[in-house]
Amino acid sequence: LSSLLSLLGEGVFAVENPFLWRTKTEVAARLRELGHADLASFSVSCSHVYGMTRLHTHCGCCSQCLDRRFGALAAGFGRDDPEEMYEVDLLTGARDREDDLVMAESFVRHALELASLNERGFMGKFAGEVGRAASCVTGLSHEDVARRMIDLHRRHGEAVQSVLEDGYRRHAAELAAGV
């Protein structure tokens, strides 16, 4: 993108992403540390904006909502990203549509797998993606990019796992009762 924009603008144009090596959890935690957690309630991540209401600005079922909510909860950001903003609660909401069930199950399964993969396992599954991404990152060797990608995805998986573990503890009685 930098090269294209430099050609079009006939000058050097750099595109930088200061959050490239941070998970949503880490970005949310940083926002909280800076004293701006209140801004979360003014942002929208949902891909189903056609169903948005004033009360529910997020569906709670799309991958963007799942990623946002897991990240917010893992960062201790729950009050600033209130569950009322979500039509479907991340941990206890009914997912009546099969697509919503598949999305949630796939998201969680993938995140838990990422948390458990070692370098060899990660590269065995994602070497192609790592190679393509490494060619787009300047200033780092392909090996350094691969290590950072592995660590980034592991941290994401661990954040999802921590939210699930906390949810199991908070909802133990309902789970045990089959509610």
Side-chain angles (χ1 to χ4, degrees):
L1 186 57
S2 293
S3 298
L4 173 64
L5 293 173
S6 294
L7 286 172
L8 293 173
E10 298 179 5
V12 177
F13 192 96
V15 176
E16 297 177 6
N17 180 354
F19 304 114
L20 179 62
W21 303 116
R22 294 187 185 188
T23 65
K24 283 218 189 271
T25 300
E26 293 160 352
V27 172
R30 183 69 178 134
L31 192 61
R32 189 186 71 239
E33 289 166 11
L34 293 172
H36 298 294
D38 59 316
L39 295 176
S41 64
F42 297 105
S43 66
V44 176
S45 303
C46 185
S47 67
H48 296 143
V49 292
Y50 54 82
M52 184 188 314
T53 66
R54 284 183 182 227
L55 177 61
H56 302 297
T57 55
H58 293 82
C59 70
C61 295
C62 69
S63 63
Q64 291 85 341
C65 283
L66 295 172
D67 198 24
R68 174 190 173 114
R69 191 67 176 144
F70 271 113
L73 292 175
F77 213 73
R79 281 193 212 125
D80 296 298
D81 187 58
E83 65 185 58
E84 294 81 25
M85 287 180 16
Y86 296 85
E87 187 174 347
V88 176
D89 182 73
L90 177 68
L91 300 174
T92 61
R95 297 179 192 280
D96 300 324
R97 292 180 10 156
E98 185 176 344
D99 290 354
D100 295 340
L101 285 170
V102 170
M103 178 63 71
E105 186 276 331
S106 297
F107 185 94
V108 168
R109 181 178 31 80
H110 182 68
L112 295 178
E113 179 183 28
L114 291 172
S116 67
L117 284 175
N118 60 24
E119 283 187 19
R120 179 180 231 157
F122 188 91
M123 291 305 290
K125 290 187 74 95
F126 304 110
E129 290 87 346
V130 170
R132 283 189 291 282
S135 67
C136 299
V137 177
T138 58
L140 293 173
S141 70
H142 287 314
E143 292 81 15
D144 286 338
V145 171
R147 282 189 197 93
R148 287 183 182 209
M149 287 181 73
I150 292 165
D151 188 52
L152 174 75
H153 285 86
R154 180 191 44 75
R155 293 190 323 268
H156 163 70
E158 289 171 351
V160 169
Q161 185 172 348
S162 74
V163 170
L164 291 173
E165 290 170 358
D166 183 58
Y168 297 152
R169 284 188 290 277
R170 284 188 297 117
H171 300 287
E174 297 117 287
L175 288 168
V179 178

